[in-house]
Amino acid sequence: MKEGILFRAVSDKTVEEFVEDLKKKAPAFNFGVRHVLNMGEEYRKQGVDVSEGFQLFQVIICSFERSYQTIQEDPEKAAVVLAPKQMAVYRRNGKTVIDYLPLTRDFIAQALPTKKKFQERLASTCQKIIKLIESAC
């Protein structure tokens, strides 16, 4: 799908297989998988009656060195840097679905209008994440 619109990929792999392949392929894209959050477990911990078979994971990735450098030089960027690095992974109709919302340069410009280079870099990183997702499918 186009930048700025929810990107969706569909895979024949199980959720677990997709996540493992994402972990394996992430370093080639200069990312690492920071956290895999099982939302069913999280809901149960909060007392929600979760239906049998519910499967939704939030997968958070990071380019650790680059993220640290960016945030160290300008901590206000953290609110924008961290958000676009997570995806939702779930099962629907026997397939694994990966949803990811890449930020556009225009959106980033609205959040941080004076950070021109950052706007381009982060938008480019979002597109790189799409390529990582596709490679893990």
Side-chain angles (χ1 to χ4, degrees):
M1 292 183 145
K2 297 183 333 186
E3 179 182 312
I5 298 174
L6 184 67
F7 170 80
R8 175 168 289 154
V10 179
S11 176
D12 289 326
K13 296 177 182 178
T14 65
V15 168
E16 295 80 9
E17 289 170 336
F18 169 78
V19 170
E20 284 308 308
D21 282 349
L22 189 74
K23 287 177 180 179
K24 289 176 189 170
K25 292 177 183 278
F29 291 82
N30 199 29
F31 291 105
V33 174
R34 193 173 111 215
H35 194 66
V36 179
L37 185 65
N38 181 332
M39 291 304 295
E41 289 177 10
E42 293 299 312
Y43 291 139
R44 284 182 192 95
K45 286 179 192 175
Q46 299 301 319
V48 175
D49 185 19
V50 177
S51 64
E52 185 68 33
F54 178 82
Q55 193 176 34
L56 172 70
F57 292 82
Q58 284 184 305
V59 179
I60 303 168
I61 63 171
C62 189
S63 178
F64 294 100
E65 184 72 30
R66 193 167 180 186
S67 175
Y68 173 70
Q69 290 170 353
T70 297
I71 292 170
Q72 183 183 27
E73 74 183 34
D74 196 350
E76 77 176 343
K77 292 178 183 174
V80 182
V81 167
L82 301 177
K85 302 219 173 102
Q86 62 182 315
M87 60 196 77
V89 183
Y90 55 94
R91 295 292 285 178
R92 178 171 284 156
N93 301 324
K95 302 281 186 181
T96 294
V97 179
I98 304 93
D99 287 339
Y100 170 67
L101 184 62
L103 299 183
T104 64
R105 188 200 152 299
D106 290 342
F107 178 87
I108 300 160
Q110 289 176 8
L112 297 168
T114 63
K115 314 290 184 192
K116 302 296 182 193
K117 287 182 185 175
F118 177 72
Q119 295 164 15
E120 292 300 328
R121 253 190 356 243
L122 186 55
S124 175
T125 296
C126 290
Q127 293 307 303
K128 196 172 170 184
I129 292 169
I130 288 172
K131 293 189 183 327
L132 168 58
I133 293 168
E134 290 172 334
S135 78
C137 283

